[in-house]
Amino acid sequence: MIDLGIAFDKNPNEYNSLVLAFIGDTLNDLYVRSRLIAEHGGMSAHKLHESASKRVCAHGQSEAVRLIEPILSEQELAAYKRGRNTKSYTVPKNADVGEYRRATGFEALLGWLYVSGKSERLEELLKLVYDAV
């Protein structure tokens, strides 16, 4: 993963789960888009976008959680559940509330790993999810 050299001033558990999901969403999107370009760089930008959108959506992220949940540590599971259970004020048109909450939990977990400096574990989970789709 990319190391931006940014030091976070708080313990990861002190950040609001939606803040962690905010960065986690971007990390997932960056990973998926990077892998798609590496593997299918000859595709048009439109086709790459369509492929990425299928993976980086509430439904895809909800399915990702089902895949990785059994292998999460206690701390990782707690970060996921905090994100999943956080009250959100919006729900996308193309997802039900359950899917959206699981997706938010997934994003929060990714953000928590990133802020924690656990880049190897972050990349391991992103790779596992990507390869399973």
Side-chain angles (χ1 to χ4, degrees):
M1 274 312 283
I2 188 168
D3 179 6
L4 300 174
I6 297 171
F8 295 93
D9 63 342
K10 295 181 186 179
N11 176 302
N13 295 325
E14 294 176 23
Y15 286 98
N16 179 290
S17 292
L18 294 179
V19 170
L20 295 173
F22 172 75
I23 191 70
D25 177 51
T26 298
L27 293 164
N28 188 39
D29 192 46
L30 178 62
Y31 184 85
V32 166
R33 288 172 184 259
S34 297
R35 286 278 308 262
L36 286 171
I37 290 170
E39 295 168 7
H40 309 286
M43 270 187 182
S44 70
H46 178 71
K47 290 284 186 196
L48 288 166
H49 173 74
E50 285 179 341
S51 294
S53 295
K54 289 177 185 172
R55 293 170 181 266
V56 184
C57 65
H59 177 74
Q61 292 174 341
S62 176
E63 290 301 313
V65 167
R66 293 185 196 283
L67 175 71
I68 64 170
E69 196 170 7
I71 63 165
L72 296 179
S73 72
E74 230 175 88
Q75 285 184 313
E76 292 167 345
L77 193 57
Y80 159 70
K81 287 180 177 180
R82 269 185 54 225
R84 182 196 64 195
N85 296 336
T86 299
K87 175 81 171 136
S88 177
Y89 298 97
T90 60
V91 175
K93 293 176 274 189
N94 300 327
D96 66 44
V97 174
E99 275 186 337
Y100 185 68
R101 286 191 169 179
R102 284 187 298 276
T104 301
F106 176 70
E107 293 169 347
L109 168 62
L110 299 180
W112 182 86
L113 289 167
Y114 179 73
V115 171
S116 299
K118 299 179 182 201
S119 57
E120 286 181 21
R121 180 62 167 163
L122 172 62
E123 190 167 357
E124 177 186 345
L125 293 179
L126 286 169
K127 183 180 183 323
L128 181 67
V129 167
Y130 182 93
D131 290 343
V133 173

